[in-house]
């Protein structure tokens, strides 16, 4: 009960914060949409004002399935990550939903302002945005480094067994050199 | 012979229950809010806020608050539906309704306050986006009829919210019984000068259907996707159902 309600309120809140999105959905009023999150399904009907309203739906007009790629990208890529969702159902409704979801923009600052004030809200938003961007950059750099290592450097790296064999050969060479050195010294002593 | 029903632990004729319940609420109306705060340690405010959060209301929606009494829910609903929406406060008991209406007038609000029976709602079919009944269904003689009426006045897709005392978590029952049957009547006697009404409250809670029973009743009345959420270990439960 709580999950459905939270989902509904959050979605409608985002629609209200993103100009033109609810208006775009009005022409699909009455259509049903299912968000299939694998562990739970959320069924909604598009209301006359273009918002989502929790509903009892047997056969939804559209089904949206967030893929693992979307969930992984969402914190860092925001609405761009929605390109990774799976959509099935009525093409016209899906086209609108796709467009609407890509336009959704959470105005964090506006939501924080009533609680902490305008200035603190702006600073908190800037700090969290910079922190997320920093994390995204770190992950991206890590990914680049890992791929570079796998593609180019791994071939150049000696394996453990090769290093052991090399060390053993060095030991043999050192022994041979020492033996040769001893033999030469003996010969020099005899000749003298 | 007239059929009987329960009034707390007593069996009374069905025709007498409404009058007896009315007596209780006439008696406690003036101290109702103070007693609610005292009895629940203010938790009833959170329960009601939770219920409103589950209503999924948006500006412009029409809401019916059945047995709304002192208008706690109505006032919260009004904030959600805005100036373009409509919230109707109803109660069968004039004393309670007057308290609710006066509170709203004192806050500069004038939504309609209508005295009517929850079992015979004077509203057209398919009219409201949301119907709520908070701590009222327990006192109705024919709960099934009241639920059917709420279903009738809801628009298809509209939702019913029933906030009501329910069956508490088993391990807490002894403490809850002690509180309900010893402390509640005492508080009623000291604050509202009426121990009997609060004895009735404790008894009526025990006679009210539990979570699963009420869910089944709502389904029988035609609601779909009925779910409930226990609050404060089941002291109160919020049931939600949709008209299809």
């Amino acid at each position: 009960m709580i999950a459905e309600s939270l989902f509904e309120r959050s979605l409608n809140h985002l629609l209200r914060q993103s100009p033109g999105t609810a208006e775009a959905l009005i022409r699909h009023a009455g259509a049903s949409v299912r968000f299939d999150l694998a562990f739970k399904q959320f069924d909604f009907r598009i209301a006359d004002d273009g918002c989502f309203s929790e509903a009892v739906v047997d056969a939804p007009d559209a089904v949206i399935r967030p893929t693992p790629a979307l969930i992984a990208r969402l914190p860092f890529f925001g609405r761009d990550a929605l390109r990774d969702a799976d959509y099935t159902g009525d093409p016209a409704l899906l086209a609108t939903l796709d467009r609407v979801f890509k336009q959704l923009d959470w105005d964090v600052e506006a939501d924080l302002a009533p609680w902490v004030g305008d200035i603190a809200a702006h600073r908190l938003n800037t700090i969290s945005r910079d922190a997320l961007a920093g994390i995204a950059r770190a992950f991206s750099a890590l990914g680049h480094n890992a791929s570079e290592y796998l593609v180019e450097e791994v071939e150049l790296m000696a394996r453990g067994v090769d290093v052991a064999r090399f060390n053993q050969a060095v030991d043999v060479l050192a022994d041979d050199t020492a033996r040769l050195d001893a033999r030469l010294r003996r010969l020099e002593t005899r000749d003298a | 012979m007239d059929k009987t029903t329960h009034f707390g632990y007593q069996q009374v004729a069905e025709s007498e229950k409404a009058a007896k319940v009315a007596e209780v609420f006439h008696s406690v109306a003036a101290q109702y809010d103070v007693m609610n705060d005292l009895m629940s340690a203010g938790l009833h405010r959170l329960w009601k806020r939770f219920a409103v959060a589950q209503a999924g209301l948006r500006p412009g929606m029409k809401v019916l608050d059945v047995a709304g009494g002192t208008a706690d829910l109505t006032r919260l609903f009004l904030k959600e539906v805005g100036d373009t929406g409509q919230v109707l406060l109803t109660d069968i008991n004039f004393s309670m309704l007057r308290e609710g209406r006066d509170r709203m007038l004192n806050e500069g609000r004038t939504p309609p306050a209508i005295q009517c029976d929850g079992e015979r709602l004077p509203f057209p079919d398919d009219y409201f986006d949301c119907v709520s009944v908070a701590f009222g269904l327990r006192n109705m003689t024919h709960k099934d009829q009241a639920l059917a009426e709420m279903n009738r006045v809801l628009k298809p897709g509209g939702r019913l919210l029933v906030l009501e005392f329910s069956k508490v978590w088993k391990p807490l029952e002894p403490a809850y019984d002690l509180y309900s049957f010893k402390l509640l009547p005492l508080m009623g006697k000291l604050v509202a000068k009426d121990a009997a009404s609060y004895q009735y409250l404790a008894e009526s809670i025990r006679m009210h259907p539990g979570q699963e029973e009420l869910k089944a009743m709502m389904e029988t009345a035609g609601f779909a996707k009925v779910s409930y959420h226990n609050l404060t270990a089941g002291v109160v439960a919020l049931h939600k159902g949709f008209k299809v």
Side-chain angles (χ1 to χ4, degrees), chain A residues 1-6 8-9 12 16 41-43 47-57, chain B residues 50 52-59 61 80 157 159 224-225 227-229 238-240 242-244:
Chain A
M1 182 192 278
I2 297 176
E4 284 92 344
S5 171
L6 266 177
E8 182 186 39
R9 283 174 80 90
N12 288 336
R16 278 193 290 270
Q41 292 179 337
F42 298 94
D43 291 336
D48 294 341
D49 58 358
C51 287
F52 288 96
S53 184
E54 193 187 342
V56 182
V57 176
Chain B
F50 177 78
V52 173
Q54 302 306 312
L57 295 177
R58 298 190 302 281
M61 284 187 156
E80 300 284 324
R159 62 187 92 184
K225 203 179 169 186
S227 59
Y228 64 82
H229 186 80
L238 176 70
H239 283 71
K240 180 164 82 171
F242 292 82
K243 177 173 177 176
V244 284

Short mmCIF file of all heavy atoms in Angstrom, two decimals, chain A residues 1-6 8-9 12 16 41-43 47-57, chain B residues 50 52-59 61 80 157 159 224-225 227-229 238-240 242-244:
data_model
loop_
_atom_site.label_atom_id
_atom_site.label_comp_id
_atom_site.label_asym_id
_atom_site.label_seq_id
_atom_site.Cartn_x
_atom_site.Cartn_y
_atom_site.Cartn_z
N MET A 1 0.83 -1.21 0.00
CA MET A 1 0.00 0.00 0.00
C MET A 1 0.87 1.26 0.00
O MET A 1 0.64 2.19 -0.75
CB MET A 1 -0.90 -0.02 1.24
CG MET A 1 -1.83 1.16 1.32
SD MET A 1 -2.63 1.31 2.93
CE MET A 1 -3.97 0.17 2.78
N ILE A 2 1.91 1.25 0.85
CA ILE A 2 2.74 2.44 0.97
C ILE A 2 3.56 2.65 -0.31
O ILE A 2 3.69 3.76 -0.79
CB ILE A 2 3.70 2.31 2.18
CG1 ILE A 2 2.87 2.24 3.45
CG2 ILE A 2 4.65 3.49 2.25
CD1 ILE A 2 3.69 2.02 4.69
N ALA A 3 4.08 1.53 -0.86
CA ALA A 3 4.92 1.64 -2.06
C ALA A 3 4.13 2.25 -3.22
O ALA A 3 4.62 3.14 -3.92
CB ALA A 3 5.44 0.26 -2.44
N GLU A 4 2.89 1.77 -3.41
CA GLU A 4 2.05 2.28 -4.51
C GLU A 4 1.82 3.78 -4.34
O GLU A 4 1.92 4.56 -5.27
CB GLU A 4 0.68 1.59 -4.54
CG GLU A 4 0.70 0.19 -5.10
CD GLU A 4 0.89 -0.86 -4.03
OE1 GLU A 4 1.32 -0.48 -2.90
OE2 GLU A 4 0.63 -2.04 -4.29
N SER A 5 1.48 4.13 -3.09
CA SER A 5 1.16 5.52 -2.81
C SER A 5 2.39 6.41 -3.03
O SER A 5 2.27 7.50 -3.62
CB SER A 5 0.68 5.62 -1.36
OG SER A 5 0.55 6.94 -0.99
N LEU A 6 3.55 5.95 -2.57
CA LEU A 6 4.78 6.73 -2.75
C LEU A 6 5.11 6.90 -4.23
O LEU A 6 5.48 7.99 -4.67
CB LEU A 6 5.95 6.01 -2.06
CG LEU A 6 6.26 6.43 -0.64
CD1 LEU A 6 7.40 5.57 -0.09
CD2 LEU A 6 6.64 7.90 -0.57
N GLU A 8 3.06 6.75 -6.76
CA GLU A 8 2.06 7.62 -7.38
C GLU A 8 2.36 9.09 -7.07
O GLU A 8 2.39 9.95 -7.96
CB GLU A 8 0.67 7.24 -6.85
CG GLU A 8 -0.47 8.04 -7.44
CD GLU A 8 -1.78 7.69 -6.76
OE1 GLU A 8 -1.79 7.48 -5.53
OE2 GLU A 8 -2.81 7.63 -7.46
N ARG A 9 2.60 9.37 -5.79
CA ARG A 9 2.85 10.75 -5.39
C ARG A 9 4.13 11.30 -6.01
O ARG A 9 4.17 12.44 -6.46
CB ARG A 9 2.96 10.84 -3.85
CG ARG A 9 1.61 10.77 -3.15
CD ARG A 9 1.79 10.71 -1.66
NE ARG A 9 2.06 11.99 -1.06
CZ ARG A 9 1.13 12.82 -0.61
NH1 ARG A 9 -0.15 12.51 -0.72
NH2 ARG A 9 1.44 13.97 -0.06
N ASN A 12 3.58 11.91 -9.82
CA ASN A 12 2.75 13.08 -10.07
C ASN A 12 3.47 14.37 -9.67
O ASN A 12 3.30 15.41 -10.31
CB ASN A 12 1.41 12.96 -9.32
CG ASN A 12 0.53 11.91 -9.96
OD1 ASN A 12 0.67 11.61 -11.14
ND2 ASN A 12 -0.36 11.33 -9.19
N ARG A 16 4.22 17.49 -12.14
CA ARG A 16 3.85 18.88 -11.86
C ARG A 16 5.07 19.80 -11.95
O ARG A 16 4.95 20.97 -12.28
CB ARG A 16 3.20 18.98 -10.47
CG ARG A 16 1.72 18.60 -10.48
CD ARG A 16 1.05 19.00 -9.19
NE ARG A 16 1.49 18.18 -8.08
CZ ARG A 16 0.90 17.05 -7.70
NH1 ARG A 16 -0.16 16.61 -8.34
NH2 ARG A 16 1.35 16.36 -6.67
N GLN A 41 4.50 -4.97 -9.24
CA GLN A 41 3.91 -4.25 -10.37
C GLN A 41 3.07 -3.09 -9.84
O GLN A 41 2.33 -3.26 -8.87
CB GLN A 41 3.01 -5.19 -11.18
CG GLN A 41 3.79 -6.27 -11.90
CD GLN A 41 2.90 -7.20 -12.69
OE1 GLN A 41 1.72 -7.32 -12.39
NE2 GLN A 41 3.46 -7.86 -13.67
N PHE A 42 3.18 -1.96 -10.49
CA PHE A 42 2.39 -0.79 -10.11
C PHE A 42 1.48 -0.44 -11.29
O PHE A 42 1.98 -0.17 -12.38
CB PHE A 42 3.30 0.39 -9.80
CG PHE A 42 4.22 0.14 -8.63
CD1 PHE A 42 5.51 -0.34 -8.83
CD2 PHE A 42 3.79 0.38 -7.34
CE1 PHE A 42 6.35 -0.57 -7.75
CE2 PHE A 42 4.63 0.14 -6.26
CZ PHE A 42 5.91 -0.33 -6.47
N ASP A 43 0.17 -0.47 -11.03
CA ASP A 43 -0.79 -0.18 -12.10
C ASP A 43 -1.39 1.20 -11.91
O ASP A 43 -1.85 1.54 -10.81
CB ASP A 43 -1.91 -1.23 -12.10
CG ASP A 43 -1.40 -2.59 -12.54
OD1 ASP A 43 -0.38 -2.62 -13.25
OD2 ASP A 43 -2.02 -3.60 -12.17
N ALA A 47 -5.25 10.03 -15.48
CA ALA A 47 -6.46 10.76 -15.13
C ALA A 47 -6.72 11.91 -16.11
O ALA A 47 -5.88 12.20 -16.96
CB ALA A 47 -6.34 11.29 -13.70
N ASP A 48 -7.86 12.55 -15.94
CA ASP A 48 -8.24 13.63 -16.86
C ASP A 48 -7.26 14.80 -16.82
O ASP A 48 -7.19 15.57 -17.79
CB ASP A 48 -9.65 14.15 -16.50
CG ASP A 48 -10.70 13.08 -16.75
OD1 ASP A 48 -10.40 12.14 -17.50
OD2 ASP A 48 -11.81 13.19 -16.17
N ASP A 49 -6.54 14.95 -15.70
CA ASP A 49 -5.59 16.07 -15.61
C ASP A 49 -4.19 15.65 -16.05
O ASP A 49 -3.23 16.41 -15.87
CB ASP A 49 -5.57 16.64 -14.19
CG ASP A 49 -5.20 15.57 -13.15
OD1 ASP A 49 -5.00 14.41 -13.54
OD2 ASP A 49 -5.12 15.91 -11.96
N GLY A 50 -4.06 14.44 -16.58
CA GLY A 50 -2.77 13.99 -17.09
C GLY A 50 -1.88 13.36 -16.02
O GLY A 50 -0.76 12.95 -16.31
N CYS A 51 -2.37 13.29 -14.78
CA CYS A 51 -1.57 12.68 -13.72
C CYS A 51 -1.87 11.18 -13.66
O CYS A 51 -2.85 10.70 -14.23
CB CYS A 51 -1.90 13.32 -12.37
SG CYS A 51 -1.22 14.97 -12.24
N PHE A 52 -1.01 10.46 -12.93
CA PHE A 52 -1.21 9.02 -12.78
C PHE A 52 -2.05 8.76 -11.54
O PHE A 52 -1.83 9.37 -10.49
CB PHE A 52 0.14 8.30 -12.64
CG PHE A 52 0.92 8.25 -13.91
CD1 PHE A 52 1.90 9.18 -14.19
CD2 PHE A 52 0.64 7.27 -14.85
CE1 PHE A 52 2.61 9.13 -15.37
CE2 PHE A 52 1.35 7.21 -16.04
CZ PHE A 52 2.34 8.15 -16.30
N SER A 53 -3.01 7.84 -11.66
CA SER A 53 -3.86 7.50 -10.53
C SER A 53 -3.84 5.99 -10.37
O SER A 53 -4.09 5.25 -11.33
CB SER A 53 -5.29 7.99 -10.82
OG SER A 53 -6.09 7.75 -9.72
N GLU A 54 -3.52 5.54 -9.16
CA GLU A 54 -3.46 4.10 -8.89
C GLU A 54 -4.79 3.46 -9.29
O GLU A 54 -5.86 4.03 -9.02
CB GLU A 54 -3.20 3.88 -7.40
CG GLU A 54 -2.81 2.47 -7.06
CD GLU A 54 -2.73 2.24 -5.56
OE1 GLU A 54 -2.63 3.22 -4.80
OE2 GLU A 54 -2.77 1.07 -5.16
N ALA A 55 -4.74 2.32 -9.94
CA ALA A 55 -5.97 1.73 -10.47
C ALA A 55 -5.91 0.22 -10.50
O ALA A 55 -4.85 -0.38 -10.34
CB ALA A 55 -6.20 2.26 -11.88
N VAL A 56 -7.07 -0.37 -10.68
CA VAL A 56 -7.16 -1.82 -10.86
C VAL A 56 -7.14 -2.08 -12.36
O VAL A 56 -8.04 -1.62 -13.08
CB VAL A 56 -8.46 -2.36 -10.24
CG1 VAL A 56 -8.52 -3.87 -10.39
CG2 VAL A 56 -8.59 -1.93 -8.80
N VAL A 57 -6.12 -2.76 -12.84
CA VAL A 57 -5.95 -2.95 -14.29
C VAL A 57 -5.70 -4.42 -14.58
O VAL A 57 -4.82 -5.03 -13.96
CB VAL A 57 -4.75 -2.11 -14.80
CG1 VAL A 57 -4.51 -2.36 -16.27
CG2 VAL A 57 -4.96 -0.64 -14.53
N PHE B 50 -1.39 9.80 7.57
CA PHE B 50 -1.03 8.65 6.76
C PHE B 50 -2.19 8.30 5.82
O PHE B 50 -1.98 8.02 4.63
CB PHE B 50 -0.69 7.45 7.66
CG PHE B 50 -0.36 6.20 6.91
CD1 PHE B 50 0.88 6.03 6.32
CD2 PHE B 50 -1.31 5.19 6.76
CE1 PHE B 50 1.18 4.88 5.61
CE2 PHE B 50 -1.02 4.04 6.06
CZ PHE B 50 0.23 3.88 5.48
N VAL B 52 -4.52 10.24 4.66
CA VAL B 52 -4.67 11.24 3.60
C VAL B 52 -3.58 11.05 2.54
O VAL B 52 -3.83 11.21 1.35
CB VAL B 52 -4.63 12.67 4.21
CG1 VAL B 52 -4.62 13.72 3.12
CG2 VAL B 52 -5.85 12.87 5.12
N ALA B 53 -2.38 10.66 3.00
CA ALA B 53 -1.29 10.44 2.04
C ALA B 53 -1.61 9.28 1.10
O ALA B 53 -1.13 9.23 -0.03
CB ALA B 53 0.01 10.15 2.77
N GLN B 54 -2.43 8.33 1.56
CA GLN B 54 -2.79 7.18 0.73
C GLN B 54 -3.95 7.47 -0.22
O GLN B 54 -4.30 6.65 -1.05
CB GLN B 54 -3.20 5.97 1.60
CG GLN B 54 -2.14 5.51 2.58
CD GLN B 54 -0.82 5.20 1.92
OE1 GLN B 54 -0.77 4.51 0.92
NE2 GLN B 54 0.24 5.76 2.46
N ALA B 55 -4.56 8.67 -0.05
CA ALA B 55 -5.75 8.97 -0.84
C ALA B 55 -5.41 9.32 -2.29
O ALA B 55 -6.28 9.25 -3.16
CB ALA B 55 -6.51 10.13 -0.19
N GLY B 56 -4.16 9.69 -2.56
CA GLY B 56 -3.75 10.03 -3.93
C GLY B 56 -4.53 11.20 -4.48
O GLY B 56 -4.90 11.21 -5.66
N LEU B 57 -4.80 12.18 -3.63
CA LEU B 57 -5.62 13.31 -4.08
C LEU B 57 -4.80 14.32 -4.87
O LEU B 57 -3.62 14.51 -4.61
CB LEU B 57 -6.26 14.00 -2.87
CG LEU B 57 -7.25 13.16 -2.09
CD1 LEU B 57 -7.74 13.92 -0.87
CD2 LEU B 57 -8.41 12.74 -2.96
N ARG B 58 -5.49 14.97 -5.80
CA ARG B 58 -4.87 16.03 -6.58
C ARG B 58 -5.86 17.18 -6.67
O ARG B 58 -7.07 16.99 -6.43
CB ARG B 58 -4.52 15.52 -7.98
CG ARG B 58 -3.53 14.38 -7.98
CD ARG B 58 -3.04 14.08 -9.38
NE ARG B 58 -4.15 13.74 -10.27
CZ ARG B 58 -4.74 12.55 -10.29
NH1 ARG B 58 -4.36 11.59 -9.48
NH2 ARG B 58 -5.73 12.33 -11.13
N PRO B 59 -5.37 18.38 -6.98
CA PRO B 59 -6.29 19.52 -7.07
C PRO B 59 -7.47 19.22 -7.99
O PRO B 59 -7.30 18.61 -9.04
CB PRO B 59 -5.39 20.63 -7.64
CG PRO B 59 -4.03 20.28 -7.16
CD PRO B 59 -3.97 18.78 -7.18
N MET B 61 -10.16 17.37 -7.17
CA MET B 61 -10.88 16.13 -6.88
C MET B 61 -12.02 16.36 -5.89
O MET B 61 -12.00 17.31 -5.11
CB MET B 61 -9.91 15.09 -6.34
CG MET B 61 -9.04 14.47 -7.41
SD MET B 61 -8.08 13.11 -6.73
CE MET B 61 -7.77 12.15 -8.20
N GLU B 80 -5.23 19.22 0.09
CA GLU B 80 -4.81 18.43 -1.07
C GLU B 80 -5.58 18.79 -2.33
O GLU B 80 -5.02 18.82 -3.41
CB GLU B 80 -5.00 16.93 -0.80
CG GLU B 80 -4.21 16.39 0.39
CD GLU B 80 -2.74 16.20 0.09
OE1 GLU B 80 -2.41 15.81 -1.04
OE2 GLU B 80 -1.92 16.47 0.99
N GLY B 157 -12.99 3.60 -10.40
CA GLY B 157 -11.57 3.95 -10.23
C GLY B 157 -11.31 4.73 -8.95
O GLY B 157 -10.16 4.89 -8.55
N ARG B 159 -11.36 5.64 -4.87
CA ARG B 159 -10.88 4.77 -3.77
C ARG B 159 -11.57 5.07 -2.44
O ARG B 159 -11.91 6.22 -2.16
CB ARG B 159 -9.37 4.84 -3.65
CG ARG B 159 -8.79 6.17 -3.32
CD ARG B 159 -7.27 6.13 -3.40
NE ARG B 159 -6.79 6.50 -4.72
CZ ARG B 159 -5.51 6.48 -5.09
NH1 ARG B 159 -4.59 6.13 -4.25
NH2 ARG B 159 -5.14 6.83 -6.29
N ALA B 224 -12.28 -3.62 -5.25
CA ALA B 224 -11.20 -4.46 -5.78
C ALA B 224 -9.86 -3.98 -5.25
O ALA B 224 -9.76 -2.86 -4.73
CB ALA B 224 -11.21 -4.40 -7.31
N LYS B 225 -8.87 -4.83 -5.39
CA LYS B 225 -7.49 -4.50 -4.99
C LYS B 225 -7.48 -3.97 -3.54
O LYS B 225 -6.82 -2.98 -3.23
CB LYS B 225 -6.92 -3.46 -5.95
CG LYS B 225 -5.40 -3.44 -6.02
CD LYS B 225 -4.95 -2.39 -7.02
CE LYS B 225 -3.47 -2.13 -6.95
NZ LYS B 225 -3.07 -1.03 -7.84
N SER B 227 -6.48 -3.62 0.14
CA SER B 227 -5.27 -3.89 0.92
C SER B 227 -5.38 -3.14 2.24
O SER B 227 -6.21 -2.23 2.36
CB SER B 227 -4.02 -3.45 0.18
OG SER B 227 -4.08 -2.07 -0.09
N TYR B 228 -4.61 -3.56 3.21
CA TYR B 228 -4.63 -2.81 4.47
C TYR B 228 -3.22 -2.67 5.02
O TYR B 228 -2.32 -3.42 4.66
CB TYR B 228 -5.55 -3.48 5.51
CG TYR B 228 -5.14 -4.86 5.95
CD1 TYR B 228 -4.18 -5.05 6.93
CD2 TYR B 228 -5.71 -5.99 5.37
CE1 TYR B 228 -3.80 -6.32 7.33
CE2 TYR B 228 -5.34 -7.26 5.75
CZ TYR B 228 -4.39 -7.42 6.73
OH TYR B 228 -3.98 -8.67 7.12
N HIS B 229 -3.07 -1.68 5.85
CA HIS B 229 -1.77 -1.43 6.47
C HIS B 229 -1.99 -1.21 7.96
O HIS B 229 -2.78 -0.35 8.36
CB HIS B 229 -1.12 -0.20 5.84
CG HIS B 229 0.27 0.03 6.32
ND1 HIS B 229 1.36 -0.65 5.82
CD2 HIS B 229 0.76 0.83 7.28
CE1 HIS B 229 2.45 -0.26 6.43
NE2 HIS B 229 2.12 0.64 7.35
N LEU B 238 -5.46 0.83 8.30
CA LEU B 238 -6.03 1.58 7.18
C LEU B 238 -6.30 0.60 6.07
O LEU B 238 -5.39 -0.07 5.58
CB LEU B 238 -5.06 2.67 6.70
CG LEU B 238 -5.55 3.42 5.47
CD1 LEU B 238 -6.74 4.31 5.81
CD2 LEU B 238 -4.44 4.26 4.87
N HIS B 239 -7.57 0.49 5.67
CA HIS B 239 -7.94 -0.35 4.53
C HIS B 239 -8.17 0.55 3.32
O HIS B 239 -8.77 1.62 3.45
CB HIS B 239 -9.24 -1.12 4.83
CG HIS B 239 -9.03 -2.30 5.74
ND1 HIS B 239 -8.74 -2.17 7.07
CD2 HIS B 239 -9.07 -3.64 5.48
CE1 HIS B 239 -8.62 -3.38 7.61
NE2 HIS B 239 -8.81 -4.29 6.68
N LYS B 240 -7.71 0.07 2.18
CA LYS B 240 -7.91 0.83 0.94
C LYS B 240 -8.48 -0.09 -0.12
O LYS B 240 -8.01 -1.23 -0.26
CB LYS B 240 -6.58 1.42 0.47
CG LYS B 240 -6.68 2.24 -0.80
CD LYS B 240 -5.45 3.11 -1.01
CE LYS B 240 -4.32 2.33 -1.64
NZ LYS B 240 -3.19 3.20 -2.04
N PHE B 242 -10.62 -0.12 -4.23
CA PHE B 242 -10.97 0.66 -5.42
C PHE B 242 -12.31 0.19 -5.98
O PHE B 242 -12.59 -1.01 -6.01
CB PHE B 242 -9.91 0.49 -6.51
CG PHE B 242 -8.59 1.10 -6.15
CD1 PHE B 242 -7.70 0.41 -5.34
CD2 PHE B 242 -8.25 2.36 -6.59
CE1 PHE B 242 -6.48 0.97 -5.00
CE2 PHE B 242 -7.04 2.93 -6.25
CZ PHE B 242 -6.15 2.24 -5.45
N LYS B 243 -13.09 1.15 -6.45
CA LYS B 243 -14.31 0.78 -7.16
C LYS B 243 -13.93 0.45 -8.60
O LYS B 243 -13.19 1.21 -9.22
CB LYS B 243 -15.32 1.93 -7.14
CG LYS B 243 -16.58 1.64 -7.92
CD LYS B 243 -17.61 2.71 -7.75
CE LYS B 243 -18.83 2.42 -8.60
NZ LYS B 243 -19.89 3.41 -8.37
N VAL B 244 -14.43 -0.65 -9.11
CA VAL B 244 -14.08 -1.01 -10.50
C VAL B 244 -15.26 -0.78 -11.43
O VAL B 244 -16.38 -0.65 -10.99
CB VAL B 244 -13.62 -2.49 -10.60
CG1 VAL B 244 -12.20 -2.61 -10.07
CG2 VAL B 244 -14.54 -3.42 -9.86
#
